[in-house]
């Protein structure tokens, strides 16, 4: 199978996986949002930062190190497996003992038991990281699709039944644990690799040399990404954090979907062509244009119909999430292409640059949070938008130097797509003013008109992202 065929097959299967998985997650989240309160979602948001820190240490960048390494041995895989497991147990013990202090910090007594139970997810997750790396390395996206969908359906059913019968916040806790448990059981069923009783110091040193920098990068990213949860939960309220987390889950729906698809497919393929700078540039250039075409399309729809989406899907009790949603969409709009640039840096072996960039990008976050504590959540999100533009520019500059793909060239590539969406968004917003004030009608009208205008104008103006997307679909249909 050629590189192009691998990319198309991987992207389509990954898209199916993410679309169905996120659709299931979205539907389950909507049902739970109607059964539960913003405060109950906020309780989970308060401890998210501690869970993601644990997950970062468990992985330690070894997953990407395994994918990047061209000839992994049985010793490599087993060494990473045992390391993951050991670190996960250590972190579970730390969180178990710290649960009371976490609850006291947020002044939420429930958090003691919740933290001790939900932290089990760190240990459960460690059992499947090596197998996931193997599947990603071999582009076994179809199997991963089956696993994700099955696990999400199973955990969703359990959570809804628990919420309906009055278990409240515990339905969210058990949903998380059930999802990870089901996923790992299926991973072990489909992937026949099993660890051998070997821990290689040489293998550990080799991968840790590369992975340690990604560990600290990932750790910084996860801490600062979830620091907003921490601050809102501490200085505002569980209810406000609930509004914020629901808005963020909406805003992340398109960007995370696109990121997951692109990251899962691009990283192993970039690793295969890491020594050919011309091919790397062409691959990244085309993929970034397609990525941003899709990202802008969905994000602008969310921006212009935020209130209608929130009321229609979650209900009027969540209306405060709409304003947060509109702003957070701008925060996440460049996220997929940022990841592409970081993947390029990593596969070229410059994980030290990735770590350096992480420190540089986080320099703005603490002032943003401080201002947010004083002036409120909206101002804090506006600061996040500024940081997003800064982060996009930094990633593009450093990645571009490696393959002669400058920030200016990247901006020129996506500017027509951005301008097109601005124009369409304004037309749709102004056109909707003539309609009756009915949220369902307005939502349907905005989405339909936006889609029609996007297709017509993309065709007439020969927008590159649209042309590339058509090529991918035609290639797949032809095969």
């Amino acid at each position: 199978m050629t590189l192009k065929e691998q990319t198309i097959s991987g992207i389509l299967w990954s898209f199916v996986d993410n679309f169905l998985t996120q659709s299931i997650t979205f539907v389950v989240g909507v049902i739970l949002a109607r059964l539960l309160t913003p405060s109950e979602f906020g309780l989970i948001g308060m401890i998210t930062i501690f869970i993601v820190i644990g997950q970062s240490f468990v992985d330690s960048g070894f997953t990407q190190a395994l994918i990047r390494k061209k000839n992994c041995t049985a010793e490599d895989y087993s060494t990473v497996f045992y390391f993951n497991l050991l670190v996960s147990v250590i972190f579970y013990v730390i969180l178990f003992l710290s649960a009371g202090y976490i609850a006291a910090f947020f002044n939420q007594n429930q958090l003691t038991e919740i933290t001790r139970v939900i932290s089990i997810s760190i240990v459960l997750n460690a059992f499947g990281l090596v197998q996931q790396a193997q599947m990603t390395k071999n582009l076994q996206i179809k199997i991963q699709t089956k696993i994700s969908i099955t696990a999400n359906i199973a955990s969703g059913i359990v959570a809804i039944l628990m919420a309906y019968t009055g278990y409240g916040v515990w339905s969210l806790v058990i949903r998380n644990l059930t999802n990870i448990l089901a996923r790992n059981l299926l991973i072990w069923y489909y992937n026949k690799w099993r660890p051998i009783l070997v821990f290689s110091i040489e293998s550990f040193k080799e991968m840790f040399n590369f992975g340690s920098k990604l560990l600290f990068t990932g750790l910084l990213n996860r801490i600062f990404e979830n620091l907003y949860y921490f601050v809102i939960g501490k200085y505002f309220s569980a209810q406000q954090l609930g509004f914020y987390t629901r808005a963020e889950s909406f805003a992340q729906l398109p960007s995370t979907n696109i990121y997951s698809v692109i990251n899962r497919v691009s990283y192993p393929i970039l690793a295969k062509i890491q020594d050919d700078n011309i091919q790397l540039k062409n691959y990244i250039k085309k993929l970034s244009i397609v990525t941003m075409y899709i990202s802008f399309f969905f994000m602008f729809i969310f921006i212009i119909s935020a209130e209608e989406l929130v009321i229609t899907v979650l209900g009027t009790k969540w209306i405060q999430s709409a304003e947060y949603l509109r702003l957070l969409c701008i925060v996440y709009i460049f996220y997929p292409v940022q990841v592409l640039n970081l993947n390029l840096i990593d596969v070229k072996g410059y994980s030290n640059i990735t770590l350096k960039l992480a420190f540089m990008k986080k320099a703005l976050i603490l002032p943003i949070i401080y201002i947010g504590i004083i002036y409120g959540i909206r101002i804090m999100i506006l600061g996040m938008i500024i940081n997003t533009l800064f982060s996009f520019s930094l990633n593009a500059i450093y990645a571009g130097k490696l393959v002669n793909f400058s920030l200016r060239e990247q901006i020129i590539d996506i500017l027509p797509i951005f301008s097109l969406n601005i124009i369409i968004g304004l037309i749709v917003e102004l056109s909707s003013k003539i309609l009756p004030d009915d949220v369902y009608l307005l939502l349907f009208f905005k989405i339909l008109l936006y889609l029609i205008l996007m297709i017509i104008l993309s065709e007439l103006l020969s927008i590159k992202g649209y042309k590339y997307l058509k090529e991918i679909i035609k290639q797949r249909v032809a095969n």
Side-chain angles (χ1 to χ4, degrees):
M1 190 180 288
T2 66
L3 181 66
K4 185 176 181 180
E5 290 170 339
Q6 283 182 311
T7 303
I8 292 172
S9 176
I11 285 176
L12 290 178
W13 269 112
S14 194
F15 175 77
V16 170
D17 178 6
N18 281 273
F19 176 77
L20 293 177
T21 300
Q22 292 295 329
S23 296
I24 294 164
T25 302
F26 182 75
V27 171
V28 171
V30 167
I31 297 171
L32 291 175
R34 290 184 174 274
L35 293 172
L36 303 175
T37 65
S39 296
E40 286 167 322
F41 279 91
L43 286 171
I44 299 300
M46 288 176 181
I47 57 175
T48 299
I49 189 170
F50 303 104
I51 303 300
V52 298
I53 288 173
Q55 298 286 17
S56 295
F57 272 101
V58 171
D59 181 35
S60 296
F62 282 178
T63 297
Q64 285 176 288
L66 287 173
I67 295 171
R68 182 178 179 273
K69 188 174 179 179
K70 292 185 177 179
N71 298 302
C72 289
T73 65
E75 287 78 10
D76 292 333
Y77 289 126
S78 295
T79 298
V80 172
F81 178 83
Y82 292 122
F83 174 80
N84 290 343
L85 198 55
L86 174 63
V87 176
S88 71
V89 173
I90 292 171
F91 260 89
Y92 176 72
V93 172
I94 292 171
L95 287 175
F96 185 92
L97 296 175
S98 305
Y101 298 105
I102 294 171
F105 179 82
F106 288 107
N107 197 28
Q108 298 284 347
N109 293 332
Q110 280 181 280
L111 285 181
T112 300
E113 290 184 6
I114 291 172
T115 302
R116 287 173 175 169
V117 175
I118 203 169
S119 298
I120 298 171
S121 64
I122 296 174
V123 180
L124 292 176
N125 196 52
F127 279 94
L129 289 173
V130 169
Q131 287 93 330
Q132 286 183 63
Q134 290 174 336
M135 289 180 174
T136 302
K137 189 181 182 76
N138 298 321
L139 291 173
Q140 293 176 298
I141 311 298
K142 187 175 181 179
I143 295 175
Q144 289 177 299
T145 301
K146 294 178 182 178
I147 292 170
S148 296
I149 292 170
T150 306
N152 271 277
I153 291 174
S155 61
I157 291 171
V158 171
I160 291 169
L161 289 174
M162 289 186 67
Y164 185 75
T165 50
Y167 282 91
V169 68
W170 286 102
S171 59
L172 300 175
V173 175
I174 301 303
R175 178 191 180 190
N176 180 277
L177 295 176
T178 306
N179 184 286
I180 295 173
L181 179 61
R183 189 175 71 240
N184 282 339
L185 287 173
L186 289 168
I187 284 173
W188 278 70
Y189 173 77
Y190 282 107
N191 188 306
K192 302 306 179 184
W193 174 85
R194 299 293 181 266
I196 58 176
L197 292 174
V198 171
F199 187 93
S200 170
I201 299 298
E202 291 75 17
S203 175
F204 177 83
K205 287 180 179 178
E206 179 190 353
M207 284 182 291
F208 189 73
N209 184 47
F210 175 80
S212 61
K213 299 178 184 68
L214 296 182
L215 160 64
F216 291 117
T217 301
L219 194 59
L220 274 175
N221 289 336
R222 285 170 177 80
I223 288 174
F224 280 92
E225 285 167 5
N226 291 278
L227 199 55
Y228 299 109
Y229 287 7
F230 189 83
V231 169
I232 294 170
K234 174 63 178 176
Y235 292 98
F236 296 92
S237 67
Q239 184 184 51
Q240 286 300 314
L241 181 54
F243 289 135
Y244 179 88
T245 57
R246 285 292 84 194
E248 188 180 56
S249 67
F250 263 99
Q252 286 182 339
L253 189 63
S255 65
T256 303
N257 247 313
I258 298 164
Y259 151 71
S260 298
V261 170
I262 299 304
N263 187 57
R264 189 188 295 180
V265 177
S266 70
Y267 194 86
I269 291 179
L270 288 171
K272 291 179 181 179
I273 59 173
Q274 59 186 276
D275 300 321
D276 188 338
N277 284 350
I278 294 175
Q279 195 173 12
L280 274 175
K281 178 183 176 178
N282 292 335
Y283 184 82
I284 285 286
K285 184 180 177 72
K286 198 167 185 177
L287 204 53
S288 64
I289 291 173
V290 172
T291 298
M292 294 316 297
Y293 182 84
I294 300 170
S295 180
F296 284 144
F297 171 74
F298 283 107
M299 286 304 201
F300 272 89
I301 285 180
F302 275 37
I303 289 169
I304 65 172
S305 55
E307 290 182 1
E308 292 84 4
L309 274 171
V310 169
I311 294 173
T312 301
V313 177
L314 300 179
T316 53
K317 68 179 179 181
W318 291 92
I319 187 61
Q320 194 171 332
S321 295
E323 186 178 358
Y324 297 159
L325 169 59
R326 191 173 285 111
L327 295 172
L328 285 169
C329 281
I330 305 173
V331 172
Y332 288 106
I333 200 165
F334 290 104
Y335 188 56
V337 78
Q338 285 190 59
V339 173
L340 264 179
N341 279 317
L342 288 176
N343 281 349
L344 176 58
I345 295 170
D346 289 341
V347 297
K348 293 294 286 184
Y350 293 103
S351 54
N352 59 316
I353 293 180
T354 307
L355 180 58
K356 177 183 176 181
L357 288 173
F359 278 110
M360 293 169 69
K361 289 181 289 188
K362 300 305 175 280
L364 279 177
I365 291 182
L366 291 178
I368 288 169
I369 287 175
Y370 180 73
I371 292 169
I373 292 171
I374 298 174
Y375 295 104
I377 298 172
R378 296 171 188 82
I379 300 299
M380 185 167 67
I381 300 175
L382 289 173
M384 292 164 65
I385 293 172
I386 294 170
N387 194 46
T388 291
L389 297 173
F390 177 65
S391 299
F392 164 71
S393 301
L394 270 183
N395 290 351
I397 289 168
Y398 277 84
K401 288 180 180 178
L402 300 177
V403 292
N404 194 30
F405 188 28
S406 67
L407 171 63
R408 181 175 178 275
E409 190 174 352
Q410 292 191 43
I411 291 174
I412 289 171
D413 281 344
I414 64 176
L415 190 58
I417 305 170
F418 181 78
S419 303
L420 176 64
N421 280 274
I422 288 285
I423 293 168
I424 294 174
L426 289 172
I427 293 172
V428 172
E429 188 64 31
L430 291 172
S431 301
S432 65
K433 300 296 183 184
I434 64 173
L435 295 177
D437 191 20
D438 182 290
V439 291
Y440 301 103
L441 177 62
L442 282 170
L443 181 61
F444 176 77
F445 173 80
K446 286 182 177 181
I447 294 174
L448 182 62
L449 181 58
Y450 202 104
L451 177 62
I452 292 170
L453 289 175
M454 192 69 177
I455 294 172
I456 293 173
L457 292 179
S458 294
E459 189 75 52
L460 290 174
L461 299 172
S462 297
I463 300 296
K464 283 184 180 179
Y466 176 74
K467 288 167 63 179
Y468 294 156
L469 201 56
K470 279 174 62 177
E471 284 178 20
I472 291 172
I473 295 170
K474 285 179 181 178
Q475 180 78 25
R476 185 61 184 173
V477 171
N479 292 336

